[in-house]
Amino acid sequence: MEMFGENGRDGVWTVMANVMDPESLNQAFNGCVGVFHTSSLIDPGGISGYTKHMAILEARAAEQVVEACVRTESVRKCVFTSSLLACVWRQSYPHHRRRFPAIIDESCWSDESFCRDNKLWFALGKTMAEKAAWRAARGRDLKLVTICPALVTGPGFRRRNSTPSIAYLKGAHAMLAEGLLATADVERVAEAHVRVYEAMSGGGAAGGRYICYDHVVRRGEEFAELQRQLGLPITGVAAASRPGYSDDGDVGGDGRFALCNGKLARLVSSRRRCTYDVYYPASYD
């Protein structure tokens, strides 16, 4: 909003809406062609980060938003921000049965029962919310695409003790051991949303889910740096006691999973080849 100056200039303005109020959402969406649903519930006290109750609320909000998109005559497209956590949590398979890393891509879903049993509430909330969005859009006159970013980093990351980030990192040692702890720069995440939205037009190729990340954390030192940036107590990776670690702190072993974001990479690459795309450099303080 600071870029555009006063409210409403150049067709950009702020509208307040309650995601639990259908009429409020309809008023906010009226006249819009597309909706980007990027909301995330956080603990205002900054203590627990995310609770089971918040997971239920997030799923309900997702359903309300998509239903409002369907009801609003002008809206034809919705880009829904989910999370990589909606893809990676499930019961581990026996390591000796796998010769190669198992691929985690857009076809994978986190196991809700596993998330509940292990109190992974943020992962549960993201999984439930995305599934609720797909159910609400099924068979309706609305094109829905979901993006599943890894832990989002970028400008201001060092200065904020972000409760969603803290909640994301619950169970991070297990993700690190399996090669599933990844990060995504906020600019890359934003670009992914824009490119997917553009490719949804007409008979565009965009559809389904997209995993978004730009770095996989593979060493204990990198994980410690993430904790430091969030202002969290730095905990050891317990390398010797966890499968998938070598003595020098690298993630390795036969039990690793491998993340795959090829679907998004192909889409972004194809869009960049278009001659009418113009990119402007941007700097951030």
Side-chain angles (χ1 to χ4, degrees):
M1 295 307 299
E2 291 176 356
M3 289 173 57
F4 287 95
E6 62 187 70
N7 205 23
R9 200 179 95 188
D10 297 323
V12 178
W13 60 92
T14 302
V15 177
M16 301 296 292
N18 183 344
V19 292
M20 296 299 183
D21 181 356
E23 182 59 32
S24 172
L25 289 170
N26 287 139
Q27 291 177 3
F29 295 168
N30 187 37
C32 298
V33 175
V35 170
F36 293 81
H37 180 56
T38 64
S39 72
S40 174
L41 298 174
I42 63 172
D43 175 13
I47 301 170
S48 62
Y50 200 95
T51 66
K52 182 179 180 180
H53 179 62
M54 292 177 190
I56 296 171
L57 288 178
E58 183 146 9
R60 190 179 305 163
E63 182 179 18
Q64 294 279 12
V65 167
V66 175
E67 288 284 356
C69 288
V70 172
R71 288 192 304 269
T72 305
E73 187 175 348
S74 61
V75 175
R76 290 293 176 265
K77 298 181 286 186
C78 178
V79 179
F80 185 97
T81 309
S82 181
S83 172
L84 181 61
L85 295 184
C87 307
V88 301
W89 285 113
R90 75 276 279 307
Q91 297 287 350
S92 296
Y93 297 104
H95 298 298
H96 66 275
R97 294 183 184 176
R98 299 210 309 271
R99 293 183 58 192
F100 303 102
I103 301 300
I104 301 295
D105 60 14
E106 292 79 9
S107 66
C108 300
W109 286 92
S110 289
D111 185 320
E112 292 182 31
S113 296
F114 182 85
C115 292
R116 289 189 180 93
D117 292 344
N118 291 275
K119 296 181 171 53
L120 300 166
W121 304 128
F122 193 70
L124 176 65
K126 292 303 181 183
T127 305
M128 291 173 58
E130 187 183 351
K131 287 184 175 180
W134 282 115
R135 286 195 300 269
R138 187 177 298 126
R140 316 292 281 276
D141 187 21
L142 176 73
K143 186 159 188 179
L144 175 69
V145 169
T146 61
I147 297 178
C148 302
L151 176 66
V152 179
T153 61
F157 182 63
R158 294 175 181 271
R159 299 190 301 272
R160 295 191 182 99
N161 189 4
S162 170
T163 49
S165 296
I166 295 170
Y168 187 106
L169 288 173
K170 185 173 184 181
H173 287 95
M175 284 190 285
L176 180 62
E178 296 289 5
L180 296 174
L181 182 58
T183 60
D185 184 82
V186 65
E187 291 188 39
R188 183 180 293 269
V189 176
E191 180 188 17
H193 282 70
V194 173
R195 298 305 168 204
V196 165
Y197 179 81
E198 291 175 342
M200 292 169 70
S201 299
R209 309 170 80 205
Y210 291 85
I211 284 179
C212 178
Y213 69 92
D214 51 26
H215 178 68
V216 178
V217 179
R218 301 192 184 279
R219 297 181 62 86
E221 305 92 276
E222 293 181 83
F223 178 53
E225 176 64 13
L226 277 178
Q227 293 176 303
R228 189 191 68 76
Q229 290 184 11
L230 282 169
L232 296 174
I234 297 177
T235 58
V237 295
S241 64
R242 292 187 177 275
Y245 280 107
S246 61
D247 292 339
D248 61 1
D250 285 327
V251 178
D254 295 334
R256 284 190 55 197
F257 291 89
L259 293 173
C260 176
N261 62 354
K263 183 180 176 184
L264 179 62
R266 289 190 296 272
L267 176 68
V268 172
S269 176
S270 66
R271 298 296 294 173
R272 280 177 172 163
R273 285 196 296 267
C274 294
T275 56
Y276 54 80
D277 280 343
V278 179
Y279 292 84
Y280 299 95
S283 60
Y284 296 87
D285 294 329

